[in-house]
Amino acid sequence: MATTGAAINLRTPSLNNRLSSLSLSATKFSAFSVTTRNTRRRPRFIVLAASLDAKPTVLVAEKLGAAGLELLKEFANVDCSYNLSPEELCTKISLCDALIVRSGTKVSREVFESAGGRLKVVGRAGVGIDNVDLAAATEHGCLVVNAPTANTVAAAEHGIALLAAMARNIAQADASVKAGKWQRNKYVGVSLVGKTLAVMGFGKVGSEVARRAKGLGMHVIAHDPYAAADRARAIGVELVGFDEAISTADFISLHMPLTPATSKILNDETFAKMKKGVRIVNVARGGVIDEDALVRALDAGIVAQAALDVFTQEPPEKDSKLVQHENVTATPHLGASTVEAQEGVAIEIAEAVVGALRGELAATAVNAPMVPAEVLTELKPFVVLAEKLGRLAVQLVAGGSGVKSVKVTYASARAPDDLDTRVLRAMITKGLIEPISSVFVNLVNADFTAKQRGVRITEERITLDGSPENALEFIQVQIANVESKFASAISETGEIKVEGRVKDGIPHLTKVGSFEVDVSLEGSIILCRQVDQPGMIGKVGSILAEENVNVSFMSVGRIAPRKQAVMAIGVDEPPSKESLKKIGGIPAIEEFIFLKL
Ligand SMILES: NC(=O)C1=CN([C@@H]2O[C@H](COP(=O)(O)OP(=O)(O)OC[C@H]3O[C@@H](n4cnc5c(N)ncnc54)[C@H](O)[C@@H]3O)[C@@H](O)[C@H]2O)C=CC1
Ligand SMILES: O=C(O)C(=O)COP(=O)(O)O
């Protein structure tokens, strides 16, 4: 039943008038299309999909570098309110489009729930996002971005500072001198040179610590289940297993994130495996150490000293046994606190937040796929196509059918692993779900929302021959086990099927059911199935012209001359019910549907 044939394009600024006088027939061409240039609008790549007509409001809840604040102020109203109580934060948040925090603010589920859907982005001006409830953010479609690079060196330098200060009792000796004492024998330290340092977590900070420790003449080993051995080898570090790292080290420096898997990773059991007299530095997160177990290990002399920048509870209790321990050096979470790092972090997070509010995909998104900028640029028109195909497909479903199973097919000459379809899948989901619910869907919550609504989306790749110049040839969306309001949208295999391509940067609908059409996906669309005969385009065109509805694109796909045909008409304005009724009343028209894009 598939239709074939060439398409011709006639470009004209006022198509309706011409159509009514020309009464064009489709009989000469198995596919015929007319487009007007002036209807082209640059599709905006909206990820957060919220139109910010007024200036957005950004709540900055912790101190941020001046350069970052300036950047934010150019784009948004900035409310700097520090030291808010959890209740105050929940009250304020419903008036904010974005929130910027550091490690001192808990962005809990209640915050997202109190936001009433307005909060679109949380910016973490730093690395660790353990203070943000990511699951709640994702469920509420709120993007979380961080500033992962600007404080790396500062944190590594602080780690090294603590390492050296601990080994030479700097803090204790300083306090002693200030107390009027001169205790040269008490504060004899240990040397770093030749000692083994185990870097736990060989990421950005860990590898910078390793590099610096090598410069101090230390033997550096590292443990990181996800790090590449060649990256470690390149700086002369051997990657080893967890037990080997902790049992051979004279010094252990922690640089992994706090996650359920790393929570209390140092505990009674693991302290027991360490060399007696080991020294520990923690610039990561307090929660990676069982702090009570550390106190026991310090008391038992298993751990000779600890230098801690981070604590499970910040600030810790005044009488915390750990902080008060004479072999503990403590700093108040200062790892990222250098002038340089704070300026860098502030700029990094301000750019990420403004970009996200503008609808750009954030490169530092924590709860959404991170897609390289060049890939995004290439996929942009397909992203628009994907959403519109989803939107069209779901509007073709007959009421009460319930969308449960959707298959998306991507046809491309690219190798499957050379095409990142996550953004496309998210946008198809957005298109499918938004027209039938009040849920706001974006790249962040698309998969979650689909799952929650019981919509199963499967993806399939067709690898085409030919040059992989274009990222994609076409995208097909099929909805199985449903009835359609427009029977012609059901394919030979029984699913609702729509297919689209990008032509000249503009998304086009190129197939409905088994009918090949060609209509640019702008404005809205009328689909009609009719008996193929002369004068049909003209008749429909004149009805639309009567009420000044501008036709942007028109195409007819048919199975055979003078048999059934599907006419797809792109319109800039939605026609009135009366006009649609008149179109439906044309004797040769068997069924029709009006679809909003
Ligand atoms: N004290 C402070 O002010 C600062 C603290 N940080 C903390 O340092 C942590 C590390 O920061 P970056 O190096 O920038 O992050 P990163 O993401 O570059 O590195 C973390 C590394 O930990 C590894 N890892 C994950 N699970 C592990 C496990 N079970 N065992 C060993 N390694 C594991 C990862 O594979 C990754 O290579 C952050 O999560 C943050 O909590 C970061 C900056 C400043
Ligand atoms: O970036 C991180 O993970 C940090 O721990 C830095 O925290 P801060 O921004 O100084 O509160």
Side-chain angles (χ1 to χ4, degrees):
M1 265 250 284
T3 55
T4 52
I8 58 165
N9 286 308
L10 302 178
R11 295 198 169 99
T12 158
S14 178
L15 183 64
N16 305 65
N17 299 339
R18 282 202 176 199
L19 285 177
S20 45
S21 57
L22 284 174
S23 246
L24 286 173
S25 148
T27 48
K28 281 190 191 143
F29 308 102
S30 47
F32 173 79
S33 59
V34 184
T35 184
T36 60
R37 267 275 176 207
N38 63 340
T39 58
R40 291 193 173 186
R41 288 177 294 269
R42 275 270 128 239
R44 204 173 138 236
F45 184 42
I46 298 180
V47 174
L48 298 173
S51 70
L52 296 165
D53 298 329
K55 240 184 171 189
T57 297
V58 180
L59 172 60
V60 178
E62 289 181 71
K63 193 158 176 12
L64 195 68
L69 283 177
E70 285 315 307
L71 269 176
L72 289 171
K73 283 177 187 161
E74 278 170 24
F75 178 75
N77 299 316
V78 180
D79 173 358
C80 292
S81 296
Y82 308 144
N83 304 316
L84 292 174
S85 68
E87 295 72 32
E88 286 167 335
L89 178 59
C90 285
T91 307
K92 256 187 183 288
I93 204 69
S94 62
L95 304 171
C96 302
D97 301 284
L99 166 67
I100 294 183
V101 297
R102 288 177 58 187
S103 62
T105 306
K106 289 253 167 303
V107 191
S108 61
R109 179 169 287 276
E110 288 70 51
V111 174
F112 294 103
E113 282 167 359
S114 308
R118 178 159 171 186
L119 186 66
K120 289 162 206 79
V121 54
V122 171
R124 169 25 176 145
V127 185
I129 30 83
D130 44 283
N131 52 325
V132 180
D133 187 332
L134 283 185
T138 303
E139 287 166 31
H140 287 81
C142 181
L143 184 71
V144 180
V145 288
N146 70 350
T149 59
N151 68 20
T152 301
V153 166
E157 287 178 350
H158 197 65
I160 294 291
L162 285 178
L163 181 80
M166 171 176 67
R168 301 307 295 268
N169 301 305
I170 301 291
Q172 293 84 346
D174 174 71
S176 157
V177 174
K178 286 186 171 135
K181 298 178 193 163
W182 195 253
Q183 300 174 291
R184 297 183 64 218
N185 291 334
K186 185 169 181 188
Y187 294 121
V188 173
V190 290
S191 191
L192 297 177
V193 71
K195 299 284 167 55
T196 297
L197 168 70
V199 170
M200 309 298 284
F202 195 69
K204 293 183 292 296
V205 178
S207 43
E208 288 305 319
V209 165
R211 223 187 281 276
R212 284 158 177 76
K214 295 276 298 176
L216 295 170
M218 299 187 84
H219 169 60
V220 183
I221 56 174
H223 168 70
D224 187 327
Y226 315 106
D230 53 349
R231 191 167 61 81
R233 249 194 317 272
I235 53 173
V237 172
E238 190 194 349
L239 282 179
V240 299
F242 181 83
D243 280 359
E244 186 181 343
I246 60 163
S247 61
T248 52
D250 302 300
F251 292 83
I252 295 174
S253 193
L254 301 170
H255 300 290
M256 67 269 274
L258 175 60
T259 65
T262 62
S263 171
K264 298 191 177 174
I265 202 164
L266 297 194
N267 49 45
D268 285 316
E269 201 185 318
T270 52
F271 283 128
K273 293 180 184 168
M274 294 177 191
K275 257 189 186 177
K276 195 163 164 55
V278 67
R279 289 177 165 80
I280 294 174
V281 176
N282 188 7
V283 201
R285 282 295 177 270
V288 301
I289 300 181
D290 176 340
E291 292 177 337
D292 294 336
L294 177 56
V295 172
R296 288 190 284 276
L298 282 159
D299 287 342
I302 298 174
V303 176
Q305 288 181 299
L308 310 172
D309 183 46
V310 283
F311 302 88
T312 306
Q313 180 192 316
E314 293 183 359
E317 296 293 341
K318 278 205 179 95
D319 58 354
S320 154
K321 272 193 184 163
L322 183 62
V323 175
Q324 298 303 333
H325 203 286
E326 62 169 341
N327 294 333
V328 169
T329 303
T331 50
H333 202 144
L334 290 180
S337 295
T338 62
V339 173
E340 296 82 356
Q342 281 313 306
E343 280 307 303
V345 161
I347 292 169
E348 200 176 359
I349 204 62
E351 282 175 348
V353 167
V354 168
L357 287 173
R358 281 202 174 114
E360 293 158 14
L361 253 191
T364 59
V366 174
N367 60 343
M370 279 194 266
V371 187
E374 63 279 10
V375 175
L376 282 177
T377 307
E378 189 181 35
L379 286 183
K380 237 179 197 182
F382 297 100
V383 165
V384 180
L385 173 67
E387 183 182 344
K388 295 204 166 172
L389 286 177
R391 215 165 261 278
L392 279 184
V394 79
Q395 290 181 72
L396 290 166
V397 176
S401 286
V403 177
K404 290 281 169 260
S405 172
V406 178
K407 185 165 117 188
V408 182
T409 307
Y410 308 99
S412 166
R414 297 256 169 104
D417 59 0
D418 198 14
L419 181 69
D420 192 334
T421 59
R422 291 170 303 172
V423 181
L424 302 173
R425 186 182 66 233
M427 288 301 124
I428 289 169
T429 309
K430 177 177 170 60
L432 284 167
I433 291 179
E434 279 192 348
I436 55 169
S437 76
S438 56
V439 184
F440 157 70
V441 185
N442 62 14
L443 189 55
V444 177
N445 65 357
D447 285 346
F448 169 81
T449 311
K451 212 168 172 186
Q452 208 187 30
R453 296 186 64 92
V455 181
R456 192 166 161 265
I457 300 178
T458 53
E459 293 177 289
E460 196 179 280
R461 275 291 313 269
I462 297 178
T463 308
L464 303 170
D465 292 335
S467 134
E469 241 166 62
N470 292 333
L472 276 158
E473 278 309 313
F474 64 82
I475 304 176
Q476 210 176 70
V477 177
Q478 295 182 67
I479 307 181
N481 307 321
V482 285
E483 285 174 14
S484 179
K485 286 180 196 159
F486 187 69
S488 317
I490 303 277
S491 69
E492 305 95 325
T493 45
E495 298 91 13
I496 288 184
K497 177 157 97 182
V498 289
E499 185 180 298
R501 293 168 189 258
V502 170
K503 297 185 176 187
D504 211 6
I506 304 289
H508 281 231
L509 175 69
T510 52
K511 202 165 195 176
V512 176
S514 304
F515 291 89
E516 282 188 11
V517 294
D518 187 358
V519 60
S520 94
L521 288 170
E522 298 171 294
S524 304
I525 285 184
I526 303 167
L527 292 176
C528 309
R529 186 187 65 212
Q530 78 235 21
V531 178
D532 180 36
Q533 57 183 254
M536 290 304 294
I537 294 178
K539 275 183 193 155
V540 175
S542 18
I543 293 172
L544 295 171
E546 271 168 32
E547 66 170 13
N548 201 24
V549 171
N550 199 42
V551 172
S552 60
F553 222 104
M554 208 172 219
S555 98
V556 177
R558 57 190 188 160
I559 29 175
R562 308 266 172 177
K563 293 260 162 53
Q564 277 176 329
V566 163
M567 177 158 56
I569 306 152
V571 285
D572 289 341
E573 301 86 20
S576 66
K577 277 196 184 133
E578 289 69 42
S579 294
L580 289 171
K581 220 168 154 190
K582 275 191 205 163
I583 292 172
I586 299 172
I589 289 193
E590 295 169 346
E591 60 169 348
F592 79 100
I593 189 166
F594 173 66
L595 303 164
K596 284 190 191 142
L597 292 174

